[in-house]
Amino acid sequence: MSEEQRKVDQAGVDELYAEAEHWHVNTGGETIHAKRVPGKWRNVKWLGNAVWLIFFLGPYLRWDGRQAVLFDIPERQFHIFSLTVLPQDFWMLSLLLLFFALLLAVSTALIGRVWCGFFCFQTVWTDVYTWIEDRLEGNPQQRRKLEKAPLDARKLRIKLTKHALWLIIAALTGISFAAWFTDAFVLWGQIATLQASTVVWIVIALFTGGTYVLAGYMREQACFWLCPYARIQGVMVDKATALPTYDYRRGEPRGRVKKGESEANRTTGDCIDCNQCVAVCPTGVDIRQGQQEGCITCALCLDACDTVMDKLGRDRGLIRYMSLEELEGKKPVPLWKRGRVWVYTGIMSIALAGVAYGISTISSLELKVLHERQPLFVLQSDGSVQNKYTLKILNKTNFDMDVVISAEGLDDMVLVGADKPVTAHGSKVTATTVFLRVPREELKSDSESVVFHIHNLANEQFSAERQSVFVGPRR
């Protein structure tokens, strides 16, 4: 390293020490102004944030003349591209929720609170809000100075612009949430003409206010005091979990860089006590004190420390992802020996297989047969026995279809009331009444099995069947 470069780096280190005087653990008494440092993990974090673009843009995707993904609560049906899921198929939703719950457990067991650090909506929205604040008000020192400055035209302009942008994002969040439950383009028309329903206005208001307060003001305090995940994460990690960790064996004893001291004569560890790892932390914790409840494993401290190590010409990785076993110098436990992870993965696989099976076997038509109980049967004047049935036909498609009803199971059985096709209305249950008549001498017992069939006239693939019973006199 040249002498000129060393002077530049020394000036940068002196600046870091000056910044460090402002950083300490915050318990809610003041706003944390986290420093934004570029780096690999900051880029990964932006990619994680970008996943939420699906939340904002998803409702505008069209499919077959309608919104591609629509959770229609009033009609009790979920449209997911060409698939329509009705309440009768909601058992798949339970399996899907189980899958994601265990996915969270597996990811936590492997790499800690990766959800909190890179994907959680509170983290993402707070990151966007603080980015706006950083663009408008400047770096942390400038923001603190602006907070203490008297109100003037400049401060008023900056504050109004910031809060206006915050409110726009918050309002878009509320509108985007509502758009998943009603047609997005119709929703915008109703909002523009002030004709949206009371429920829509309440949803938008709640999400606007909640986003504005949580991301704009509470920030890390929501992670500390409101989030239950922060409380239970301690039992979800173990010694083999890879977490952002300070390598104390390499970093201690800490010591500030002394002017003119060469690396060969240094008596301190690699940590120069610049506090940059604390400065960039969105929750204000000091990773050098070990794992803490406030750490959301966002890895921004890794970028900050690596930047300082680069300035000093030292190896990166003083703070890095590693397990407690690795930190203690032990050999990491192989993944195949971590039984808890495999149990979680096995249950996840079963849940996902159940969802896949449900989707693959979901039929467009579903038939339910209700046997009349009062009376169970009627003796006809010609000696035959008659049973009455109510057929409930569930059409899971979005269009009406004409279905033909038939039955089988007994000799000389006559189906009455199904001479004409029945119109099964789209996404609704259509009920119709039919009768079965069987000569008494054909009945071998007082209860016989019969099967009802329905199929679409235009497309034989749309069909369903349901078994029922035919009841006659005791023999």
Side-chain angles (χ1 to χ4, degrees):
M1 182 182 296
S2 66
E3 184 63 28
E4 181 180 355
Q5 182 64 39
R6 186 179 297 278
K7 291 180 180 179
V8 172
D9 290 341
Q10 182 64 51
V13 171
D14 292 340
E15 181 182 350
L16 296 180
Y17 284 136
E19 290 181 359
E21 298 177 359
H22 297 285
W23 303 107
H24 60 277
V25 175
N26 178 39
T27 58
E30 61 179 285
T31 301
I32 287 182
H33 293 292
K35 183 178 180 180
R36 304 183 78 88
V37 176
K40 177 181 71 174
W41 293 105
R42 163 53 67 183
N43 294 335
V44 172
K45 188 173 178 63
W46 277 124
L47 290 175
N49 293 1
V51 172
W52 283 94
L53 289 174
I54 298 173
F55 172 78
F56 287 100
L57 303 178
Y60 305 98
L61 181 63
R62 313 303 288 183
W63 184 270
D64 198 21
R66 59 169 173 78
Q67 191 164 310
V69 180
L70 176 63
F71 305 119
D72 194 343
I73 300 299
E75 295 296 332
R76 297 188 300 172
Q77 50 190 264
F78 289 178
H79 301 290
I80 306 174
F81 294 92
S82 58
L83 178 67
T84 297
V85 180
L86 298 180
Q88 292 82 354
D89 303 308
F90 274 9
W91 61 270
M92 290 186 289
L93 178 61
S94 301
L95 291 179
L96 192 62
L97 292 176
L98 175 63
F99 170 81
F100 282 114
L102 290 177
L103 179 62
L104 188 63
V106 169
S107 61
T108 304
L110 292 176
I111 50 177
R113 295 170 63 181
V114 63
W115 162 259
C116 295
F118 298 94
F119 301 103
C120 174
F121 48 86
Q122 171 65 17
T123 302
V124 171
W125 267 251
T126 298
D127 201 33
V128 173
Y129 271 38
T130 54
W131 178 82
I132 292 174
E133 192 171 63
D134 190 76
R135 296 296 92 189
L136 293 174
E137 298 182 359
N139 60 39
Q141 291 76 16
Q142 292 171 329
R143 296 202 292 273
R144 292 191 192 92
K145 184 177 179 181
L146 186 64
E147 280 184 354
K148 297 176 181 179
L151 184 64
D152 56 16
R154 176 180 174 275
K155 182 175 180 179
L156 182 62
R157 173 180 57 80
I158 292 175
K159 292 293 184 180
L160 286 177
T161 302
K162 180 183 77 172
H163 287 279
L165 291 174
W166 282 4
L167 283 171
I168 290 173
I169 294 174
L172 287 174
T173 301
I175 294 172
S176 297
F177 180 82
W180 288 94
F181 299 90
T182 186
D183 187 276
F185 295 104
V186 174
L187 176 64
W188 276 106
Q190 293 173 342
I191 293 174
T193 58
L194 302 180
Q195 293 180 348
S197 66
T198 303
V199 173
V200 170
W201 289 120
I202 291 175
V203 168
I204 294 175
L206 288 175
F207 271 82
T208 300
T211 304
Y212 179 72
V213 172
L214 290 173
Y217 290 95
M218 292 198 67
R219 298 184 182 180
E220 79 289 341
Q221 298 305 310
C223 302
F224 276 123
W225 312 117
L226 297 183
C227 179
Y229 185 37
R231 299 291 188 270
I232 65 175
Q233 61 132 353
V235 299
M236 300 174 72
V237 301
D238 53 34
K239 288 187 175 182
T241 303
L243 300 167
T245 306
Y246 168 67
D247 189 347
Y248 66 90
R249 293 186 300 175
R250 174 184 158 187
E252 302 295 327
R254 305 174 197 172
R256 299 201 170 196
V257 176
K258 299 177 182 179
K259 294 182 179 180
E261 183 182 44
S262 65
E263 287 290 302
N265 297 327
R266 178 162 55 91
T267 59
T268 59
D270 280 351
C271 179
I272 63 171
D273 207 20
C274 65
N275 275 4
Q276 288 305 293
C277 53
V278 185
V280 300
C281 180
T283 57
V285 302
D286 189 343
I287 194 65
R288 297 169 298 177
Q289 303 303 320
Q291 283 302 312
Q292 300 161 63
E293 179 187 0
C295 178
I296 60 174
T297 67
C298 62
L300 295 179
C301 54
L302 277 68
D303 284 338
C305 188
D306 286 346
T307 300
V308 175
M309 293 297 104
D310 290 343
K311 287 180 179 292
L312 298 173
R314 300 175 185 175
D315 293 336
R316 290 186 166 201
L318 178 59
I319 302 176
R320 63 185 184 274
Y321 266 99
M322 61 178 168
S323 65
L324 180 59
E325 292 174 330
E326 183 182 351
L327 181 64
E328 294 174 345
K330 300 177 182 178
K331 186 177 180 180
V333 176
L335 182 62
W336 60 272
K337 285 188 176 182
R338 300 182 65 181
R340 181 174 54 154
V341 173
W342 285 109
V343 170
Y344 288 157
T345 304
I347 299 175
M348 285 171 52
S349 300
I350 294 173
L352 200 59
V355 173
Y357 171 79
I359 292 176
S360 64
T361 59
I362 201 168
S363 58
S364 300
L365 285 176
E366 189 172 298
L367 177 62
K368 182 177 290 186
V369 180
L370 303 179
H371 189 284
E372 180 69 32
R373 294 185 176 274
Q374 295 294 334
L376 287 173
F377 61 90
V378 176
L379 292 175
Q380 300 293 297
S381 58
D382 60 0
S384 63
V385 181
Q386 176 176 284
N387 283 199
K388 180 181 178 181
Y389 303 86
T390 300
L391 274 57
K392 292 190 175 181
I393 304 169
L394 173 60
N395 179 4
K396 298 181 180 180
T397 66
N398 298 319
F399 51 87
D400 296 346
M401 65 173 70
D402 293 330
V403 298
V404 175
I405 302 171
S406 60
E408 63 179 4
L410 293 173
D411 294 336
D412 298 328
M413 183 171 60
V414 177
L415 179 61
V416 181
D419 303 327
K420 297 180 179 179
V422 176
T423 300
H425 300 287
S427 303
K428 294 184 182 298
V429 175
T430 302
T432 186
T433 301
V434 297
F435 301 88
L436 281 181
R437 292 176 184 169
V438 179
R440 185 170 183 175
E441 59 271 15
E442 296 294 338
L443 297 176
K444 303 297 187 293
S445 66
D446 56 2
S447 178
E448 299 278 0
S449 176
V450 293
V451 179
F452 287 89
H453 300 271
I454 58 173
H455 68 271
N456 178 230
L457 280 174
N459 190 341
E460 292 286 343
Q461 292 184 347
F462 294 128
S463 63
E465 65 179 39
R466 177 59 65 95
Q467 186 173 353
S468 186
V469 296
F470 187 92
V471 180
R474 291 185 179 275
R475 305 203 45 94

